[in-house]
Amino acid sequence: MFKLLKIEFLKLKHAMVLTTATICPLFAVMLGSIDLLSAVAERGNDVLQWSNLIYFIGLYFSVIVYVMCITIVLAMTGRIEHANNGWKHILSLPVRKDNIYFTKLIVGVTVISYCVLILWLGTILTGKIIGVDGPIPFELVKTSLFSYYSALPIIAVQFYLSFSFNHIGIPLAVGTALTFPVLLILNSKYWIYYPWTYPFAVFNTRFFQHGPMELLKFICPVSFIFIVLAGYIQFKGRDIL
Amino acid sequence: MKLLKTFKAELIKQKRGLIWIIVFLIPLATTGAMYLDIYLRDYSDFLARAQRHGLNIWHLIILENHFSIGWGRFISIFVSVICSVIFYTEYKNNSWKNMMALPLRKSCIYFTKFITILFFTWLLISLNTLGLIFAGKMIGITEPIKIYLFIKYAAYQSAAVLGIVALHHWLSSYYSNTLIPIFIGVGGVLISAVFFNFSPGVGAYFPYNYHFYIPATEGPSPLIALFGGMILGVVIFILGYLEFVKRDIV
């Protein structure tokens, strides 16, 4: 399995996956910083705080950037095998199907965690550059980790779609279409039923009730395990032609 | 005549394709979202908002669709997905070589692809606009439908989106990895907010910005979107065409 992981990470080298995972969070950091600096220009240096920087960056990252990054990265990872009939080659190797499935999942999850790490590092670096007061808050680490955790259902769904469908348009179209109504659903009391709202809820806990937020700690891992297992059962039983 | 035949061939290629699902499902989703938006917020509150801002209720529905639901922001991403799906058909089957071997000029191929993308984009916009009317009627709006408003909304969008269609058409023809143009599209949408808020002068030349101007009741004129979209559409199309015709397709 370790060898398989090494090979899978090698495949990412020419697939622009890591470039996408690096640029997306840095983009959000840049846009959030611009918003904070314009707020500073309007209201003075009192606004230059870590909580505000995290809020502005979180707005861009959690609503569009993070979710689209997950969609594009996992679609790219799936495309590596779908293009040029790669599945036939990989399944003709003396490797178990389970190992292939879980290796792919580990690779996808690792790239997304890399994306969150870049966000975290980018936020700290930008905060230091623009002169944000005070020590780096633990809230930033907590928010980054929890935002990753909250996106587990989205990662599972996108992984399943990019894995199961040959056509790259399906995971893209589904990912884009499900990102589209996020802002609308966030303004309603039904946001807890829609996983695409979870990253935003995590970045903006002050706007959401404590009770439903606690439920996320249970919903995210359970839905992730459930969808991954369902995908695994389907993959194991499928004939790859 | 050749152009028409090639266009028909392009439509046949998409016959059982994903593109039809995208083009019909997305407006269906926005219609549902619009209905839910008014239903969840309470219709009387919606009516009060319209009266407070001195707007016709149908105009408020257009503004809700465009800004609150996010149609204006996402139309650029939908266009990039449409372009990717249409070009994916060629890259997946490695059929560029076959296309180039046909007795067709490169210019004809490039132009036909553009027309195909435009057809699906305009269909998407039209269905979304019709969906708004349907959602309004389902909610029970009794005011007479302002057809002129909806035609103007669809027409402005159709013109404003020309720049993005031309750009993504070019990008999708250039990159075999169809995800790259989508990535660029998402980036463009994110940057557009910065340009619109902090540098509106430069923003008038940025195609991803035009959705901000379309259903405007105050501020910059929607004519910027209309003319900007058309001019940028022509300029980017010509640039892409010149590059495509000179390129060796292998």
Side-chain angles (χ1 to χ4, degrees), chain B residues 94-156:
Chain B
N94 241 337
S95 57
W96 272 120
K97 284 182 221 173
N98 298 334
M99 267 201 106
M100 295 299 145
L102 294 171
L104 283 172
R105 280 186 170 161
K106 262 182 161 181
S107 52
C108 182
I109 295 170
Y110 193 77
F111 191 63
T112 318
K113 287 274 187 209
F114 180 75
I115 295 293
T116 312
I117 294 165
L118 216 52
F119 168 75
F120 285 111
T121 306
W122 283 349
L123 183 62
L124 185 76
I125 290 169
S126 311
L127 289 172
N128 169 253
T129 311
L130 286 170
L132 294 180
I133 299 172
F134 184 67
K137 281 294 171 192
M138 265 178 22
I139 283 287
I141 295 174
T142 49
E143 272 192 50
I145 303 168
K146 299 273 179 192
I147 295 286
Y148 168 70
L149 256 177
F150 286 99
I151 292 173
K152 193 174 157 194
Y153 180 55
Y156 270 78

Side-chain angles (χ1 to χ4, degrees), chain B residues 22-41:
Chain B
I22 292 173
V23 162
F24 281 95
L25 217 62
I26 289 174
L28 197 68
T30 56
T31 306
M34 192 70 236
Y35 177 81
L36 277 172
D37 182 30
I38 305 172
Y39 177 75
L40 291 170
R41 288 192 194 183

Side-chain angles (χ1 to χ4, degrees), chain A residues 151-227:
Chain A
L152 286 176
I154 305 170
I155 293 171
V157 168
Q158 288 301 139
F159 177 74
Y160 172 77
L161 290 171
S162 50
F163 218 70
S164 306
F165 296 99
N166 207 357
H167 200 304
I168 204 171
I170 295 173
L172 280 176
V174 170
T176 311
L178 292 175
T179 310
F180 174 63
V182 161
L183 280 176
L184 174 68
I185 294 170
L186 276 167
N187 284 312
S188 74
K189 57 186 176 184
Y190 302 107
W191 67 271
I192 192 71
Y193 302 109
Y194 196 72
W196 271 254
T197 57
Y198 297 168
F200 183 86
V202 160
F203 270 99
N204 298 278
T205 49
R206 58 184 116 157
F207 299 125
F208 295 87
Q209 289 169 351
H210 186 70
M213 289 299 293
E214 285 297 309
L215 273 178
L216 286 187
K217 292 178 184 172
F218 169 74
I219 292 171
C220 294
V222 168
S223 53
F224 177 79
I225 291 166
F226 180 74
I227 297 168

Side-chain angles (χ1 to χ4, degrees), chain A residues 16 20 23-24 27 31 34-35 38 65 68 75-76 79 166-170 172-173 176 180 183-184 188 190, chain B residues 18 22 30 33 37 40 69-71 73-74 77-78 88 176-180 182-183 186-187 190-191 194 198:
Chain A
M16 277 198 63
T20 310
I23 292 175
C24 285
F27 220 29
L31 294 172
I34 291 173
D35 271 359
S38 70
V65 174
M68 290 308 297
M76 275 182 178
R79 186 187 169 269
N166 207 357
H167 200 304
I168 204 171
I170 295 173
L172 280 176
T176 311
F180 174 63
L183 280 176
L184 174 68
S188 74
Y190 302 107
Chain B
L18 182 67
I22 292 173
T30 56
D37 182 30
L40 291 170
I69 291 176
W71 173 260
R73 202 174 27 243
F74 272 81
I77 300 176
F78 294 145
Y88 181 71
S176 57
N177 185 349
T178 48
L179 286 163
I180 295 173
I182 292 173
F183 177 60
V186 172
L190 291 169
I191 295 175
V194 176
F198 303 111

Side-chain angles (χ1 to χ4, degrees), chain B residues 47-60:
Chain B
L47 210 57
R49 268 177 70 205
Q51 283 166 355
R52 222 181 311 132
H53 294 284
L55 293 171
N56 177 273
I57 189 137
W58 291 108
H59 197 169
L60 189 64

